[in-house]
Amino acid sequence: MEFRLLGTVSVETLTGPLPLGPAKRRSLLAALLLSTNTPVSIGRLTECLWDDEPPSQARGVIQGHVSRLRALLAGADAEAYGVELATLGDAYVLRAPETLLDSQRFEELLMLAREQREPADAVLMLKEALSLWQGPALSGAFAGPPLRVAAHSLEESRLATVEHLSRAYGALGEHHRAAALLTAETAAHPLRESLAAELMLALFRAGRQSEALDRFHRTRRLLADELGIDPGHELADAYALILRGAPGPPTGTAPSEPAGPAGPAPAAGPPGDGGRAGGGGSPVGEPHPVDLLPRAPRGFHGRTAELAALSRSAAGEAPVCLVTGPAGVGKTALALQWAHRNPALFPDGRLFADLRGFSAAGEPALIDVLREFLLALGVSPRRVPESVPAAAALFRSLTARQRLLVVLDNARDSATVRTLLPGGADCVTLVTSRHRLEGLIASDAARPVPLDTLETDDGTALLAGVLGEERVLAEPVAARRLSELCGGLPLALRVTAARLAGRPGWTLATLAGELADERGRLAYLDVDDTGVAAALRLTVQQLPPGAVHQLARLGHHPGGHYDPYAAAALAGTDPVTARAALEQLAAAHLVTETAPGRWVLHDLVRLYARSLDPASAREALTGVLDHCIATALAAADTAEPGGEPCFVLPEDYRRPSAVQDFADRAEAMRWLATEREDLALTALAAREAGLDDRAWRIILLQWPQMVWRARDSWSPLLELALESARAEKDAYAESRVLTLLGWVLTEEGRTAEAAALLERSPALAREADDPLGEATALINLAVVQAELGELPTALENCARAVELARREGDRHTEMLTLQHLARMHLTAHRPEEALACARAALDLGPEHEEAARRSLLLAVCGEARLALGDEEDGVRLLDRAAQEAERAGYDEGAVRALEALLRVSARAEFRRRHDEALRRLAEEG
């Protein structure tokens, strides 16, 4: 068995490829394979399978695809290969030996190639690695945003391998083979400057100088026409070397001067006086370009995509590259890694300044930073201006014709950076900040390179870089768990590694156990003067009081996501104020906007936020619980406008300052589906806090989604609601929850369990003086009794439910009861009674009544007409029922109506529509 990502996503077996089916199933498989042996959440899979807003049934679709994949793998004897597709809570994990995955073998071959001392051996490894590619990565899958990023990353790795192979050919003197290889790739990627540069040098060494120069001019014109930019330094350097007839060493890389500390600087006059300011060359007496960079970071891992993004951002005229991200994510390390990797791009030197925008020591004076830069560039101390504007002007003048890198680390605001920008079109400025610095983007076209947390594999690699591979390989599961507990935050990982390095007797599993306790996690992630809490504290100090208050309250939210309404409920403000605070927190990278109007906190930021105001925990929780109740009530009322209220509000209920409006049923159902996980976490937090009166209400209010997707694993949540209702000794709540839980169990095929629960529900409703609750309980009980063959008793209970609904004047419940009564009469071979009940129900329903229910009632009418011998009218009614179900996207109703039609008609149209509805149901899972 072999899993393939380098080409069409597929599973190869001894008997051929498995029939994976639709593109979304291949997407799901690709997402699991890209994180082999690591759990992938439903949310992450949803992002991979849909570009825009996922459908309300997304979870069910994913479950269906997983079920089909399991069956396919089982049929291919996957267990014998050590392959298992397992469910872990709200996530799935594909366990498999990495040797079965072509992308893993590709990476292993690359690593082996890098270790070869002889170019000939490297060539063999690299050719074998490239032979694994059968086309563009992740072909045949529907690529949602995460999969597009993964495919791009894999393609970048392939192209880098091609370049590596060409250099290996060059080292063997096989320049014609290098040129042939690169010519094909350059045709496919004409805007990739590194490929063009390698091809130019290979052509030159092969004695084809005119072709090499022609390649440069063609690429230059293409860059100008397509992107409006000039060639980057790499391409320009290759061109200059060829013109001089000195194309560098046989590896194809341009020679670079060794970087080192600047020697004693001679006095420099103003521009044009013959000193360093006069041009790009080094003055007499200074053999090396200036270099103020700190040492390169040790133990740096991953970030391939971000390094490539920096290289792209550094192209063009006077670029300003902006690396942004939260505290501790490794912005400085990335900037220094990139700067140290590219010394040849900056022959006039590299400057560095820590602007300490988020430091307890405070920011340095701008004149001090400028003075250090000017002195490094050769200006004598007595010639450094005393004012910031004059010093900045001299700095711009000195750098006007130089190729210089300026790294401005830890910038707090855009104004500070603007003052320190060099003047040369060939200079590159690299800025890091915890803020987004949108002003710098607007004024100076800064190119943002956002930095996120590390993936689990890169996190464990970072640990191995500090602790040694042997220690990490001895406990691979614990190492991955540590990476996850640190949230992929490099600062947290380095602190964790430092703790373990100082305690050789500790196991990784021991520390993972300590970190698993949220109450002490931040304390364990501090060592000496370095730690996550300290870094976050410095960020928070820069925030206005309103944003700090909002952050503190966000820490007490039991869910994972926030919108302005939830944030307002937590903070006791209004959505407009909350949104403004969230924007300020997002600008400081303390929250992340995952979708328009939807934010999330990193786990470690959440723990820190919780520590800011621990006394407000219960007040914040109650606020967000009441917000959930109010919003879910609005959603349920919009989704089912004819339904009667589920309950009265708690006595101490506090209505939020504003409640979200829903335009229509689709929007309300989408909110219920999107918020399902957070609503469950919120209800669980209410139960744990003893707020049972809120817990069962939050769960029960999701009934429109439960009824629509009854087989979507609702029973554990409803069992939690039942515990809360019984803890409150609330007969009304217990009856309502039992009724809904019984319905769900019936739909899950657990009929006996459902009957046992539902038998208690009508009596509890009577005890609570809840006649409509009793009617609904009787309906659900009757449905179970009918399935168990107790049809007379079921008909009696349904008839009693109709009486209760009519007595209360509730047309919605009466219509629902009549629908079930009609179906039962049909089952009992009483078509006239079935027709009368269905017609009575249709007469009750307004024009906007739910299409699904109308479809079911029309289907009953059609089947009753057929039973009475009126085939023409029966076919007409069933066709109408199928059409209404099809328009509403109610495929189950369409299948039911069309199956009844096919029993009496052989029309091809009915067969086609039936098969299409069945196919849609299968695709949904």
Side-chain angles (χ1 to χ4, degrees):
M1 176 171 287
E2 178 186 25
F3 296 100
R4 292 185 179 173
L5 296 175
L6 307 181
T8 301
V9 177
S10 61
V11 183
E12 298 294 329
T13 68
L14 294 174
T15 58
L18 295 184
L20 293 179
K24 278 192 167 56
R25 192 171 298 147
R26 293 179 189 270
S27 299
L28 184 139
L29 176 61
L32 294 171
L33 288 172
L34 288 165
S35 299
T36 306
N37 300 314
T38 301
V40 184
S41 68
I42 288 283
R44 181 68 172 177
L45 292 173
T46 302
E47 294 172 2
C48 292
L49 268 63
W50 285 278
D51 250 332
D52 301 314
E53 187 71 23
S56 58
Q57 70 271 25
R59 179 183 291 264
V61 173
I62 289 172
Q63 289 172 338
H65 286 314
V66 168
S67 177
R68 181 59 182 153
L69 278 177
R70 279 200 183 111
L72 287 169
L73 291 171
D77 199 20
E79 187 177 355
Y81 295 90
V83 176
E84 177 191 15
L85 177 49
T87 303
L88 293 179
D90 198 32
Y92 297 102
V93 58
L94 184 60
R95 299 191 178 104
E98 293 185 346
T99 53
L100 300 183
L101 190 58
D102 61 354
S103 60
Q104 289 295 328
R105 295 202 305 280
F106 175 74
E107 291 295 335
E108 290 169 5
L109 287 166
L110 295 191
M111 186 168 59
L112 287 171
R114 285 191 289 268
E115 294 172 356
Q116 302 307 310
R117 293 187 176 183
E118 295 298 324
D121 294 333
V123 164
L124 292 175
M125 298 291 182
L126 294 168
K127 287 175 67 177
E128 185 177 352
L130 290 170
S131 71
L132 293 172
W133 285 76
Q134 304 296 314
L138 309 188
S139 296
F142 173 85
L147 293 188
R148 287 200 295 272
V149 170
H152 177 74
S153 177
L154 287 169
E155 177 64 8
E156 283 291 321
S157 183
R158 187 189 71 83
L159 290 173
T161 305
V162 168
E163 293 170 0
H164 189 176
L165 178 56
S166 76
R167 290 192 291 272
Y169 279 141
L172 292 171
E174 298 178 357
H175 304 302
H176 289 288
R177 296 186 70 179
L181 172 71
L182 293 165
T183 298
E185 291 295 342
T186 305
H189 302 276
L191 296 175
R192 187 178 176 92
E193 294 187 56
S194 58
L195 274 175
E198 292 283 354
L199 176 56
M200 288 166 57
L201 295 171
L203 289 168
F204 180 82
R205 296 191 193 99
R208 298 153 66 181
Q209 182 176 1
S210 61
E211 291 181 53
L213 294 175
D214 178 64
R215 173 63 58 179
F216 171 80
H217 291 299
R218 286 164 56 189
T219 306
R220 178 180 58 78
R221 286 193 299 270
L222 193 62
L223 290 170
D225 294 341
E226 296 289 332
L227 304 178
I229 62 172
D230 293 326
H233 296 309
E234 187 173 4
L235 199 60
D237 285 349
Y239 179 64
L241 288 167
I242 292 169
L243 288 177
R244 292 202 302 267
T251 57
T253 57
S256 62
E257 296 177 33
D273 69 353
R276 186 175 178 81
S282 298
V284 176
E286 188 181 5
H288 300 299
V290 60
D291 194 349
L292 299 185
L293 286 183
R295 65 173 174 79
R298 296 173 183 170
F300 186 90
H301 289 279
R303 305 300 195 195
T304 304
E306 289 86 354
L307 288 166
L310 270 182
S311 295
R312 291 192 297 272
S313 298
E317 184 175 336
V320 178
C321 310
L322 178 57
V323 178
T324 63
V329 81
K331 299 179 293 295
T332 302
L334 176 73
L336 291 176
Q337 183 74 7
W338 185 84
H340 278 283
R341 281 186 176 185
N342 298 278
L345 297 179
F346 310 108
D348 294 309
R350 300 175 292 189
L351 302 177
F352 177 89
D354 183 358
L355 301 181
R356 302 199 301 270
F358 307 91
S359 168
E363 297 175 86
L366 277 175
I367 190 62
D368 292 338
V369 177
L370 286 164
R371 179 181 293 110
E372 183 175 357
F373 283 0
L374 291 170
L375 292 174
L377 291 172
V379 177
S380 66
R382 68 178 185 277
R383 291 200 168 199
V384 175
E386 294 184 3
S387 70
V388 169
L394 178 57
F395 175 61
R396 289 193 295 273
S397 177
L398 287 173
T399 56
R401 282 178 283 177
Q402 294 189 336
R403 290 169 60 183
L404 191 74
L405 173 65
V406 180
V407 181
L408 302 175
D409 195 29
N410 289 313
R412 184 172 61 88
D413 56 50
S414 301
T416 302
V417 173
R418 289 192 195 100
T419 306
L420 299 172
L421 293 177
D426 290 325
C427 293
V428 175
T429 307
L430 180 50
V431 184
T432 74
S433 181
R434 298 182 192 180
H435 289 169
R436 290 193 297 225
L437 301 190
E438 292 173 343
L440 195 65
I441 298 172
S443 64
D444 292 272
R447 302 167 186 182
V449 178
L451 201 58
D452 204 349
T453 52
L454 290 171
E455 296 293 337
T456 303
D457 287 344
D458 288 331
T460 54
L462 192 154
L463 290 173
V466 178
L467 298 173
E469 287 193 7
E470 289 185 3
R471 193 168 178 187
V472 170
L473 290 175
E475 296 182 80
V477 175
R480 293 181 70 84
R481 179 63 176 147
L482 282 174
S483 180
E484 291 165 358
L485 289 168
C486 290
L489 201 64
L491 174 60
L493 287 161
R494 290 184 182 279
V495 170
T496 298
R499 282 193 173 276
L500 288 165
R503 297 166 176 80
W506 277 33
T507 64
L508 275 63
T510 300
L511 186 54
E514 299 286 356
L515 290 178
D517 185 353
E518 287 189 347
R519 294 169 296 182
R521 189 179 304 170
L522 282 178
Y524 273 100
L525 295 178
D526 280 338
V527 57
D528 293 336
D529 59 345
T530 301
V532 176
L536 291 171
R537 190 178 307 114
L538 294 172
T539 303
V540 171
Q541 286 175 359
Q542 308 288 339
L543 296 173
V548 176
H549 172 70
Q550 183 68 75
L551 178 65
R553 292 302 183 90
L554 289 178
H556 298 304
H557 193 307
H561 291 84
Y562 319 87
D563 61 18
Y565 293 91
L570 284 162
T573 59
D574 59 84
V576 175
T577 303
R579 178 181 284 275
L582 287 167
E583 293 287 356
Q584 290 170 326
L585 294 172
H589 288 96
L590 289 168
V591 301
T592 302
E593 191 170 13
T594 58
R598 191 170 169 83
W599 286 266
V600 66
L601 273 179
H602 187 282
D603 282 348
L604 297 179
V605 178
R606 176 176 54 82
L607 294 178
Y608 178 77
R610 191 179 295 170
S611 72
L612 293 175
D613 187 9
S616 67
R618 190 171 184 86
E619 179 186 356
L621 177 61
T622 304
V624 80
L625 292 175
D626 289 344
H627 149 75
C628 289
I629 290 173
T631 313
L633 269 172
D637 186 55
T638 305
E640 299 289 348
E644 46 101 18
C646 288
F647 48 70
V648 295
L649 295 168
E651 290 182 5
D652 59 343
Y653 170 81
R654 293 178 302 171
R655 182 174 175 78
S657 61
V659 179
Q660 183 174 346
D661 289 327
F662 298 98
D664 51 30
R665 183 177 190 276
E667 185 179 337
M669 294 293 279
R670 188 161 52 246
W671 183 87
L672 287 169
T674 302
E675 298 296 326
R676 173 178 173 173
E677 184 176 347
D678 277 359
L679 288 172
L681 291 170
T682 305
L684 180 61
R687 175 86 176 99
E688 291 174 347
L691 296 168
D692 290 295
D693 58 342
R694 266 82 172 174
W696 69 262
R697 285 176 167 87
I698 289 171
I699 296 169
L700 195 62
L701 276 169
Q702 298 176 66
W703 72 267
Q705 188 72 12
M706 294 183 190
V707 171
W708 184 251
R709 298 293 175 198
R711 300 178 187 178
D712 202 7
S713 304
W714 292 102
S715 49
L717 191 61
L718 285 166
E719 286 163 2
L720 176 67
L722 189 58
E723 291 175 14
S724 297
R726 287 171 174 168
E728 286 282 292
K729 295 182 172 58
D730 188 330
Y732 176 97
E734 186 176 352
S735 169
R736 290 282 178 156
V737 174
L738 282 171
T739 298
L740 188 53
L741 178 55
W743 168 264
V744 167
L745 292 175
T746 303
E747 290 296 304
E748 290 178 355
R750 298 158 65 180
T751 314
E753 295 174 63
L757 290 174
L758 288 167
E759 284 173 355
R760 301 202 298 272
S761 191
L764 284 166
R766 284 193 296 276
E767 179 186 333
D769 192 23
D770 178 17
L772 288 177
E774 183 182 356
T776 307
L778 287 167
I779 294 170
N780 291 359
L781 178 59
V783 170
V784 174
Q785 289 168 333
E787 287 194 18
L788 293 173
E790 302 170 11
L791 199 54
T793 308
L795 286 165
E796 289 176 11
N797 282 329
C798 248
R800 169 66 178 154
V802 171
E803 291 175 9
L804 288 168
R806 284 176 178 163
R807 193 175 69 196
E808 294 298 312
D810 188 282
R811 295 162 67 90
H812 183 88
T813 304
E814 184 182 351
M815 186 180 186
L816 175 66
T817 311
L818 286 168
Q819 172 195 326
H820 287 286
L821 187 57
R823 175 58 63 182
M824 288 176 195
H825 277 309
L826 202 59
T827 303
H829 306 294
R830 300 173 181 173
E832 291 182 350
E833 290 89 337
L835 189 60
C837 288
R839 283 176 171 172
L842 286 167
D843 290 342
L844 286 170
E847 288 300 320
H848 64 268
E849 184 57 67
E850 183 190 333
R853 181 164 296 129
R854 286 183 55 80
S855 169
L856 292 172
L857 287 166
L858 287 169
V860 169
C861 290
E863 290 181 62
R865 277 296 183 192
L866 290 176
L868 291 169
D870 188 350
E871 183 173 319
E872 182 180 352
D873 200 28
V875 168
R876 180 184 62 81
L877 287 167
L878 284 168
D879 188 19
R880 185 178 165 194
Q883 289 177 16
E884 293 218 9
E886 288 164 342
R887 282 196 295 270
Y890 181 41
D891 292 317
E892 291 181 4
V895 168
R896 177 180 292 181
L898 288 163
E899 282 179 347
L901 276 170
L902 289 171
R903 284 195 289 270
V904 296
S905 171
R907 283 173 57 181
E909 178 200 351
F910 295 154
R911 170 62 62 188
R912 176 183 57 78
R913 287 163 58 194
H914 174 266
D915 292 345
E916 287 176 356
L918 272 181
R919 177 182 54 77
R920 288 193 299 270
L921 273 176
E923 288 176 354
E924 291 173 5

